[in-house]
Amino acid sequence: MRPFSYERAGDAAQAAARAAEVEGAKFIAGGTNLLDLMKLEIETPVHLIDVNGLGLDEISATDDGGLRIGALVSNTDLAAHETVRRDYGVLSRALVAGASGQLRNKATTAGNLLQRTRCPYFYDTAQPCNKREPGSGCGALSEGAFSRQLGVIGTSDSCIATHPSDMAVAMRALDVTVETITPVGMTRQIPLADFHKLPGDTPEQENALMPGEIITAVTLPAPVGGTHAYHKVRDRSSYAFALVSVALIRQPDGTGRVALGGVAPKPWRSDEADAELPNGARAVMARLLDGARPTEENAFKITLAERTLAAMLAEE
């Protein structure tokens, strides 16, 4: 791990201003992803800004009947919250499916959204990776590469990495909004649909945040009702990232919402696919995965996603 300096921020606006002022600065909260990347010298911040004392760890009701979740609320506390369990069951289920109990105790809401890919070529500094080192190439697309766990849609010739979050998939199904403060003290509200970026030719640009901008909260809209389910298919039953995950919210009339994880650089959902839900899993996936570009190793994910959704629909 390379040397770095450290400070504790007094408030969110101050933290954002300092992050923009100090080139190479990073925010640290739970550190469950950042510290691992620092040890591997994938992330090499020269300065860490500790945001744990900013008071962003509350969950409160909004005026329109939704919930405002502070950026520092732990995954454990969010999953166990009475209102989340009752009205946003897909979110509670997704959180419990992620990582281990110890990690959920430290991992935060904002950190979960910002966690970086688990692509093996991103983690191996001896391999080329455009996300880690722009312009170096994509090791996952080289001849004989291992791509079983990687993306099948939303990818590009520069990067086929997937976003690893379970929480974000459920939040995409719920249409959440990300609240931020910029370095000049302005607030922004970014729909989660627009928060994560597709790789294109710039896979190192993973989200819509400006330099120094800090997440302060995530807002859940008023409950939509229906039956909530989250199913995660993985290589082992615990502490593994999704090959495919499905967040499903289904209304009594058969309509609803479907979001996928494990298949793309961001949680994957479309209104056109949602409209096909009354017609069954095959119709949904034909829309949702239209334009998929799988590798020979991960083409099975398309069939797996359809069968996972079909099984979920059959259980209801």
Side-chain angles (χ1 to χ4, degrees), residues 231-233 244-246 303-313:
H231 195 81
K232 179 178 182 178
V233 183
V244 166
S245 63
V246 180
T303 302
L304 182 59
E306 180 184 323
R307 290 179 178 177
T308 302
L309 178 59
M312 295 169 75
L313 294 175

Side-chain angles (χ1 to χ4, degrees), residues 155-172:
T155 58
S156 73
D157 291 338
S158 297
C159 182
I160 62 170
T162 57
H163 194 272
S165 173
D166 291 290
M167 183 195 79
V169 180
M171 285 190 169
R172 179 67 184 92

Side-chain angles (χ1 to χ4, degrees), residues 36-245:
D36 283 345
L37 294 175
M38 290 173 65
K39 291 173 184 177
L40 295 170
E41 296 192 3
I42 294 169
E43 291 274 14
T44 55
V46 300
H47 186 66
L48 291 183
I49 302 171
D50 189 333
V51 297
N52 283 294
L54 302 188
L56 303 176
D57 56 356
E58 299 293 331
I59 300 174
S60 57
T62 61
D63 292 340
D64 62 357
L67 279 183
R68 186 175 187 271
I69 304 161
L72 297 175
V73 172
S74 74
N75 287 179
T76 295
D77 288 346
L78 182 56
H81 192 274
E82 181 180 0
T83 303
V84 174
R85 294 177 63 191
R86 183 187 67 230
D87 296 333
Y88 305 96
V90 66
L91 177 56
S92 184
R93 289 172 173 82
L95 285 161
V96 171
S100 64
Q102 293 93 331
L103 285 172
R104 290 195 298 270
N105 287 342
K106 292 296 293 181
T108 62
T109 300
N112 195 303
L113 291 178
L114 294 172
Q115 64 181 303
R116 306 199 69 186
T117 183
R118 264 55 179 193
C119 173
Y121 296 92
F122 174 74
Y123 268 77
D124 185 351
T125 55
Q127 298 289 336
C129 174
N130 288 317
K131 188 180 287 292
R132 189 184 67 244
E133 187 179 345
S136 64
C138 177
L141 290 172
S142 61
E143 185 176 354
F146 178 79
S147 58
R148 183 172 180 272
Q149 292 181 306
L150 302 179
V152 299
I153 195 164
T155 58
S156 73
D157 291 338
S158 297
C159 182
I160 62 170
T162 57
H163 194 272
S165 173
D166 291 290
M167 183 195 79
V169 180
M171 285 190 169
R172 179 67 184 92
L174 291 166
D175 278 334
V176 309
T177 299
V178 180
E179 298 181 12
T180 70
I181 291 181
T182 71
V184 295
M186 294 181 61
T187 60
R188 286 210 297 163
Q189 295 190 340
I190 308 169
L192 187 61
D194 301 326
F195 182 79
H196 296 106
K197 290 188 174 184
L198 297 180
D201 295 327
T202 55
E204 73 279 8
Q205 297 176 13
E206 297 176 349
N207 56 64
L209 295 177
M210 305 173 188
E213 190 170 10
I214 186 172
I215 297 173
T216 54
V218 171
T219 303
L220 294 170
V224 296
T227 302
H228 291 216
Y230 186 81
H231 195 81
K232 179 178 182 178
V233 183
R234 45 191 165 177
D235 283 328
R236 57 184 188 272
S237 61
S238 65
Y239 202 61
F241 295 95
L243 292 170
V244 166
S245 63

